[in-house]
């Protein structure tokens, strides 16, 4: 089964059986940017179960998935996506090969073509350099699958996974007689179907993967960037493999999502250009590789950025006597969903990693994170207009090495008079609409941080409205005007942070009953600062709420240095 269409723009599409793929492409390469083998026993077993189920019902075909390739030669290609499936199916074929003999075994031996076999030198499926010999000798070499399944020693995690996969295959197919193996072989070669998409260039292959594969299990954008870096660095095969291995370790250390996010930030960090498209190889070339040699980025810059990101994630920044305050600001930043602030923070820390022995540098680090946190919250509250946000934080990236450009009268981290005004007005207004529920929670946590301590966001604690949102009984007598009651309820002067249990029990009870709940004896959980602040009030009235509101807003404004008029 083989159907092919040519787009005329360097893109081919195939509907091809497994045998078509192995016969058409006599050399399929897993390049350095590709992941090593990573399937678990569960994934291998699931694939075998699916193939056997298709065999049992005599299905016309079994669609195994997408195979994305890049290359210009008709019989050679690099694998962008589909390596895990193709390698696993090759191992199943190897097991079947070793259980048969004669022409059938010879046919499979030819299809699997050991990578070290002369005269071509490298044929068939070629894994990454560090795994190629292991895979060739123990999978593609006839009679070796049993040795692989029996092995207990391995050099690395990839080899361990290949051994586990071989065991899973042996266990799943054990006891299958010759006739069963022949039936399985016909199914594997003729009915296991790939959708093969082939691009002549890596940019096209990267875009193709992102559009077609919404599961996103393999990091195509990161893989394409890695490929571009290794290609432009013009390294030896050994050098490229060394950098590829270091790349994999770094990705494992950060986690795939965090690592991809770091790569997405790199063009902004290097160029200071605000308009970036996630995973765009063109932007990476223009904004990174046009300014930084590929080998330097791999060897120096990317590890620096990764260390800075890890320090931010762990809140492990050393700022001398200011360390505690910097960590408090990082805690507050961690509550925000929008991460405009992260690229400037990574850029600044990467550039100032060795400055912690200087008190002057530590003071600047403190000031940087104080101002960055304020700018991020001004963005959160809408004081920074949406069409200006990317550019505002890009300005911070561009100015990161120049204190005057950061903190001067018109510095990148300073608020304009309009932004200052809008932020203060927002803090003084009620947080009323249902859409502001998350905003209320974050601002309550932030006010509490201004009282002295920043806490992790936790589902154990929630926002308590002392004057209830739906009051009854005595509350209606004490707050008889509905419009006034609605406004007061949603002022931050009416808030406390308590446990979920306390919030449910307190409900619409009176202030005195609520106080007994919040300050009860033998309370296991600590009283949070915003709740502890209630202890100074003997009653709860409109005047108390407004006075407390003004005081708490003033504390937050002082923490953000908003009490004086901005110069910008």
């Amino acid at each position: 089964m083989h159907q092919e269409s040519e787009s005329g723009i360097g893109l081919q599409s195939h509907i091809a059986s497994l045998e078509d793929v192995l016969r058409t492409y006599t050399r399929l390469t897993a390049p350095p940017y590709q992941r090593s083998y990573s399937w678990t026993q569960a994934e291998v077993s699931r694939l075998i179960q699916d193939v056997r189920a298709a065999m049992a019902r005599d299905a016309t075909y079994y669609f195994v998935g997408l195979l994305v390739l890049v290359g210009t030669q008709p019989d050679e290609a690099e694998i962008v996506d589909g390596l895990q499936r193709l390698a696993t199916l090759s191992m199943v074929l190897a097991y079947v090969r070793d259980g048969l003999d004669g022409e059938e075994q010879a046919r499979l031996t030819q299809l699997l073509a050991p990578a070290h076999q002369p005269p071509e030198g490298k044929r068939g499926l070629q894994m990454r350099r560090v795994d190629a010999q292991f895979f060739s000798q123990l999978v593609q070499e006839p009679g070796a699958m049993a040795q692989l399944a029996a092995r207990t020693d391995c050099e690395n995690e990839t080899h361990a996974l290949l051994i586990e996969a071989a065991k899973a295959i042996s266990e799943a197919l054990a006891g299958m007689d010759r006739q069963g193996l022949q039936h399985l072989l016909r199914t594997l070669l003729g009915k296991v179907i790939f959708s093969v998409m082939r691009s002549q260039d890596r940019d096209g292959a990267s875009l193709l993967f992102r559009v077609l594969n919404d599961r996103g299990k393999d990091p195509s954008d990161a893989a394409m960037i890695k490929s571009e870096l290794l290609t432009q660095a013009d390294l030896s095969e050994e050098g490229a493999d060394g950098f590829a291995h270091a790349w994999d370790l770094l990705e494992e250390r950060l986690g795939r999502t965090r690592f991809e996010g770091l790569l997405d930030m790199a063009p902004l960090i290097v160029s200071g250009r605000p308009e970036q498209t996630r995973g765009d190889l063109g932007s990476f070339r223009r904004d990174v590789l046009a300014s930084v040699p590929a080998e330097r980025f791999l060897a120096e810059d990317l590890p620096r950025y990764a260390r800075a990101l890890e320090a931010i994630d762990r809140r492990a920044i050393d700022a001398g006597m200011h360390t505690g305050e910097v960590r408090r600001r990082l805690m507050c930043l961690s509550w925000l969903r929008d991460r405009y602030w992260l690229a400037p923070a990574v850029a600044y820390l990467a550039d100032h990693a060795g400055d912690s022995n200087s008190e002057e540098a530590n003071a600047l680090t403190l000031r940087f994170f104080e101002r960055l946190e304020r700018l991020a919250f001004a963005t959160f509250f809408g004081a920074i207009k949406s069409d200006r946000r990317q550019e505002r934080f890009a300005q911070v990236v561009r100015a990161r090495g120049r204190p005057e450009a950061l903190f001067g009268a018109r510095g990148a981290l300073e608020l304009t008079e309009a932004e200052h005004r809008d932020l203060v007005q927002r803090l003084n207004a009620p947080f009323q609409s249902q859409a502001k529920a998350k905003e209320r929670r974050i601002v309550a946590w932030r006010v509490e941080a201004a009282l002295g301590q920043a806490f992790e966001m936790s589902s154990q604690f929630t926002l308590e409205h002392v004057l209830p949102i739906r009051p009854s009984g005595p509350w209606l007598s004490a707050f008889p005007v509905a419009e006034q009651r609605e406004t007061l309820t949603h002022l931050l002067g009416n808030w406390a942070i308590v446990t979920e249990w306390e919030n449910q029990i307190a409900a619409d009870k009176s202030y005195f009953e609520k106080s007994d709940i919040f300050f009860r004896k033998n309370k296991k959980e600590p009283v949070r600062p915003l709740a502890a602040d209630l202890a100074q009030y003997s009653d709860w009235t409109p005047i108390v709420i407004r006075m407390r509101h003004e005081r708490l807003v003033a504390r937050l404004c002082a923490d953000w240095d908003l009490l004086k008029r901005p110069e910008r």
Side-chain angles (χ1 to χ4, degrees):
M1 181 185 296
H2 183 91
Q3 299 176 12
E4 181 174 325
S5 63
E6 170 70 56
S7 67
I9 56 173
L11 178 66
Q12 295 177 333
S13 62
H14 305 238
I15 300 297
S17 67
L18 176 58
E19 183 170 18
D20 290 333
V21 170
L22 295 176
R23 287 200 182 281
T24 301
Y25 299 100
T26 57
R27 183 182 177 191
L28 285 167
T29 306
Y33 66 78
Q34 181 58 273
R35 283 184 172 277
S36 298
Y37 189 79
S38 59
W39 268 23
T40 64
Q41 276 190 320
E43 290 168 305
V44 173
S45 297
R46 176 63 181 272
L47 177 63
I48 295 173
Q49 289 170 9
D50 288 348
V51 171
R52 294 192 68 174
M55 182 174 73
R57 67 176 184 271
D58 196 25
T60 306
Y61 65 89
Y62 169 63
F63 179 67
V64 74
L66 189 67
L67 182 62
V68 180
L69 307 175
V70 59
T72 57
Q73 298 301 315
D75 61 346
E76 297 182 5
E78 289 183 354
I79 303 170
V80 175
D81 180 45
L83 175 63
Q84 309 298 323
R85 293 181 288 272
L86 194 56
T88 304
L89 287 167
S90 295
M91 293 175 73
V92 178
L93 284 176
Y95 179 91
V96 174
R97 174 203 60 205
D98 293 349
L100 297 174
D101 54 22
E103 292 183 4
E104 292 167 323
Q105 186 180 75
R107 177 189 180 193
L108 287 173
T109 299
Q110 184 183 28
L111 280 177
L112 293 173
H116 65 279
Q117 190 179 65
E120 291 82 355
K122 293 180 179 178
R123 292 178 51 81
L125 176 60
Q126 183 185 350
M127 303 293 279
R128 279 181 46 181
R129 183 174 176 273
V130 291
D131 307 318
Q133 185 176 11
F134 186 86
F135 188 82
S136 173
Q137 292 180 348
L138 293 172
V139 175
Q140 293 168 308
E141 189 71 40
M145 272 294 287
Q147 298 176 37
L148 179 60
R151 285 189 67 146
T152 57
D153 62 310
C154 57
E155 296 180 4
N156 56 48
E157 183 181 359
T158 300
H159 293 182
L161 287 169
L162 287 167
I163 293 169
E164 292 301 311
K167 290 178 179 177
I169 292 167
S170 297
E171 291 171 4
L173 303 181
M176 187 174 280
D177 59 17
R178 179 185 178 85
Q179 186 176 0
L181 289 175
Q182 290 172 327
H183 189 184
L184 177 59
L185 177 61
R186 291 192 296 272
T187 301
L188 286 168
L189 293 182
K191 297 185 178 182
V192 170
I193 303 301
F194 284 94
S195 174
V196 182
M197 305 295 288
R198 175 176 170 141
S199 173
Q200 292 184 3
D201 62 86
R202 292 193 179 98
D203 288 4
S206 174
L207 177 62
L208 182 63
F209 175 84
R210 288 200 301 273
V211 171
L212 293 178
N213 192 336
D214 60 6
R215 290 173 298 170
K217 293 185 72 175
D218 291 338
S220 66
D221 47 3
M224 291 299 100
I225 289 171
K226 177 163 65 169
S227 173
E228 186 69 19
L229 285 164
L230 294 175
T231 300
Q232 290 219 16
D234 194 24
L235 300 162
S236 66
E237 186 175 2
E238 184 176 357
D241 200 68
F243 275 120
H245 182 61
W247 178 289
D248 291 345
L249 292 176
L250 192 58
E251 181 177 359
E252 183 178 348
R253 200 172 84 208
L254 291 177
R256 183 184 299 186
T257 300
R258 209 67 172 137
F259 184 71
E260 288 183 339
L262 180 61
L263 291 177
D264 290 339
M265 281 186 262
L268 171 58
I269 292 172
V270 173
S271 73
R273 291 168 56 94
E275 297 85 8
Q276 304 295 340
T277 302
R278 183 182 183 277
D280 180 29
L281 186 55
S283 293
F284 197 90
R285 285 197 188 109
R286 180 192 67 209
D287 295 331
V288 177
L289 295 179
S291 304
V292 180
E295 187 169 355
R296 195 193 91 179
F297 183 83
L298 284 165
E300 301 175 21
D301 293 348
L302 184 59
R304 283 194 304 118
Y305 300 152
R307 288 192 294 271
L309 181 61
E310 286 180 304
I312 291 167
D313 286 344
R314 299 197 308 266
R315 295 188 286 279
I317 296 173
D318 182 4
M321 62 185 293
H322 307 297
T323 296
E325 179 58 18
V326 170
R327 291 177 180 177
R328 183 174 75 94
R329 301 287 174 165
L330 286 172
M331 173 70 83
C332 296
L333 284 166
S334 73
W335 302 331
L336 300 176
R337 179 177 178 181
D338 288 331
R339 297 285 168 154
Y340 297 106
W341 61 271
L342 188 54
V346 169
Y348 185 87
L349 282 182
D351 288 355
H352 296 83
D355 294 351
S356 59
N357 292 327
S358 163
E359 274 309 308
E360 181 181 359
N362 288 334
L364 283 176
T365 296
L366 171 61
R367 192 174 183 189
F368 177 86
F369 280 99
E370 285 177 339
R371 290 296 191 262
L372 183 65
E373 190 246 347
R374 183 180 68 178
L375 185 65
F377 270 88
T379 301
F380 172 75
F381 288 119
I384 310 297
K385 304 307 178 188
S386 59
D387 60 344
R388 289 280 299 153
R389 291 173 184 175
Q390 287 188 334
E391 172 57 28
R392 283 302 303 276
F393 287 92
Q395 287 176 13
V396 179
V397 172
R398 296 194 294 269
R400 65 186 185 267
R402 297 171 289 133
E404 181 61 28
L406 286 171
F407 311 118
R410 300 182 65 83
L413 283 170
E414 300 302 320
L415 300 179
T416 66
E417 186 172 352
E419 291 164 353
H420 178 281
R421 181 195 64 234
D422 290 349
L423 179 55
V424 173
Q425 287 180 352
R426 181 69 199 92
L427 295 175
N428 275 294
F431 291 81
Q432 206 153 351
S433 70
Q434 186 61 33
K436 301 294 183 182
K438 186 174 182 181
E439 191 176 89
R440 289 196 294 268
R441 180 180 173 87
I442 290 176
V443 75
W445 256 251
R446 186 58 188 86
V447 170
E448 196 168 70
L451 293 176
Q453 188 173 0
F455 290 84
E456 294 274 5
M457 280 285 176
S458 168
S459 58
Q460 181 184 3
F461 292 92
T462 191
L463 178 62
E464 161 72 18
H465 293 79
V466 181
L467 167 61
I469 294 176
R470 298 178 182 83
S472 61
W475 286 112
L476 296 177
S477 300
F479 297 83
V481 181
E483 185 176 353
Q484 179 196 53
R485 190 169 62 238
E486 180 72 12
T487 297
L488 292 172
T489 298
H490 295 291
L491 290 177
L492 60 87
N494 186 53
W495 295 351
I497 296 177
V498 300
T499 67
E500 284 279 0
W501 178 84
E502 289 169 337
N503 176 254
Q504 293 173 10
I505 296 299
D508 63 347
K509 288 182 168 60
S510 71
Y511 176 69
F512 306 105
E513 292 172 307
K514 288 190 176 190
S515 295
D516 289 342
I517 294 169
F518 303 154
F519 301 109
R520 67 191 182 278
K521 292 182 179 180
N522 302 319
K523 178 180 166 72
K524 294 181 180 179
E525 305 83 6
V527 179
R528 294 282 291 262
L530 201 55
D533 184 74
L534 299 175
Q536 62 188 287
Y537 301 105
S538 60
D539 200 0
W540 204 248
T541 67
I543 293 176
V544 167
I545 293 175
R546 290 193 181 278
M547 289 178 59
R548 183 173 185 256
H549 176 78
E550 291 173 4
R551 179 171 58 83
L552 293 177
V553 170
R555 286 290 293 268
L556 185 51
C557 287
D559 206 26
W560 279 336
D561 197 19
L562 295 172
L563 297 180
K564 60 184 180 181
R565 191 180 184 86
E567 298 178 11
R568 182 170 177 175

